[in-house]
């Protein structure tokens, strides 16, 4: 962002300062954008086994005897249907095997659901309500919930195992976000043209790790 020096001096409502602060806020949320974009692209972008990260037929490797599926069809988006699909996804995740045909992860104790705002109320009921339809809710507290408007498809959602050593995604932070300001004493542009500049720089990226720790439900 660039502003004329006199405009900043005359900014009695501090709108320029608010805009600069917003720049910093947007930058701090940029890793979130990368993570969600990576999940969305998972149906087309390849993982380590050369097929898309979310795929119906992950190829056999080593001693495995059958392909494996982490791209599942959902039964719907009502509270009851989401609970049913969560159970299906949890079973599928526990059934995934490694190249020795052994269970990939026998202890799945921390699940993160990533879903659009359109499903928030039903997911809150599914995982936080004590009683549903006069029946004890056995899934109460079973999963954490991340609601994000960056998911524009209102019917699809993701189930990630995040508690173990192995993760579904990797965030590599090479150089953390840094805020820079060029004011009257710190740059030729600011001194010669009386334009103050504000910016952000960083080096990081997101990538795929183990598809066995992630499931996408498509409705």
């Amino acid at each position: 962002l660039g502003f004329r020096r006199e405009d900043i001096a005359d900014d009695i409502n501090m709108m320029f300062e608010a805009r600069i602060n917003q720049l910093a806020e947007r930058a701090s949320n940029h890793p979130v954008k990368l993570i969600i974009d990576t999940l969305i692209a998972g149906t087309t972008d390849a993982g380590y086994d050369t097929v898309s990260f979310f795929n119906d037929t992950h190829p056999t490797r080593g001693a495995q005897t059958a392909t494996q599926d982490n791209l599942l069809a959902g039964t719907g988006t009502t509270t009851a249907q989401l609970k049913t699909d969560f159970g299906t996804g949890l079973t599928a995740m526990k059934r995934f095997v490694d190249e020795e045909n052994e269970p990939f992860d026998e202890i799945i104790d921390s699940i993160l659901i990533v879903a659009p705002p359109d499903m928030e109320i039903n997911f809150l009921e599914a995982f936080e309500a004590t009683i549903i339809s006069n029946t004890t809710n056995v899934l109460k507290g079973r999963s954490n919930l991340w609601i994000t408007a960056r998911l524009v498809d209102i019917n699809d959602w993701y189930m990630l195992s995040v508690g173990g050593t192995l993760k579904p995604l990797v965030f590599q932070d090479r150089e953390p976000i840094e805020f820079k300001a060029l004011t009257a004493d710190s740059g030729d542009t600011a001194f010669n043209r009386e334009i103050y500049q504000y910016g952000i720089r960083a080096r990081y990226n997101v990538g795929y790790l183990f598809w066995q720790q992630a499931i996408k439900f498509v409705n």
Side-chain angles (χ1 to χ4, degrees):
L1 298 176
F3 304 109
R4 295 193 308 168
R5 179 177 181 176
E6 58 266 34
D7 288 339
I8 293 179
D10 294 341
D11 183 25
I12 59 176
N13 293 321
M14 303 182 69
M15 295 304 297
F16 288 125
E17 180 179 342
R19 184 69 182 89
I20 293 167
N21 290 336
Q22 184 191 35
L23 174 69
E25 291 175 358
R26 291 290 294 271
S28 67
N29 286 325
H30 186 247
V32 172
K33 169 181 167 57
L34 290 185
I35 291 170
I36 298 302
D37 287 350
T38 300
L39 283 177
I40 293 173
T43 51
T44 55
D45 290 354
Y48 71 84
D49 59 354
T50 73
V51 299
S52 60
F53 185 73
F54 295 109
N55 197 287
D56 292 320
T57 53
H58 285 279
T60 57
R61 297 164 63 91
Q64 293 172 0
T65 60
T67 60
Q68 301 182 87
D69 180 6
N70 73 332
L71 181 61
L72 305 182
T75 59
T77 59
T78 67
T79 300
Q81 289 168 329
L82 293 176
K83 291 180 65 178
T84 295
D85 290 343
F86 178 84
T88 299
L90 188 60
T91 298
M93 197 173 283
K94 290 183 176 181
R95 290 291 187 186
F96 290 147
V97 295
D98 61 18
E99 294 180 12
E100 299 299 323
N101 212 36
E102 294 289 327
F104 185 86
D105 191 354
E106 295 190 74
I107 302 176
I108 300 177
D109 57 4
S110 183
I111 297 292
L112 176 65
I113 298 298
V114 186
D118 313 77
M119 298 184 185
E120 182 171 11
I121 298 302
N122 288 346
F123 267 122
L124 285 174
E125 182 179 24
F127 293 112
E128 294 189 12
T130 302
I131 302 292
I132 299 178
S133 300
N134 296 320
T135 302
T136 300
N137 181 19
V138 297
L139 292 184
K140 178 178 171 60
R142 185 63 179 86
S143 176
N144 294 312
L145 185 61
W146 180 9
I147 298 296
T148 172
R150 294 186 179 278
L151 293 178
V152 295
D153 191 316
I154 65 173
N155 296 309
D156 297 349
W157 55 282
Y158 302 84
M159 179 177 174
L160 309 177
S161 175
V162 296
T165 302
L166 305 180
K167 307 294 183 185
L169 303 177
V170 59
F171 177 76
Q172 188 177 53
D173 194 2
R174 298 295 298 276
E175 297 179 35
I177 295 172
E178 179 184 7
F179 180 80
K180 289 183 172 290
L182 296 180
T183 58
D185 299 324
S186 59
D188 292 339
T189 298
F191 183 82
N192 295 326
R193 299 174 55 194
E194 292 203 322
I195 295 177
Y196 291 178
Q197 294 179 307
Y198 303 86
I200 298 291
R201 75 174 306 276
R203 293 180 66 211
Y204 50 71
N205 211 341
V206 178
Y208 300 109
L209 282 181
F210 296 99
W211 59 262
Q212 297 91 338
Q213 306 293 80
I215 288 177
K216 179 176 183 178
F217 280 96
V218 178
N219 287 288

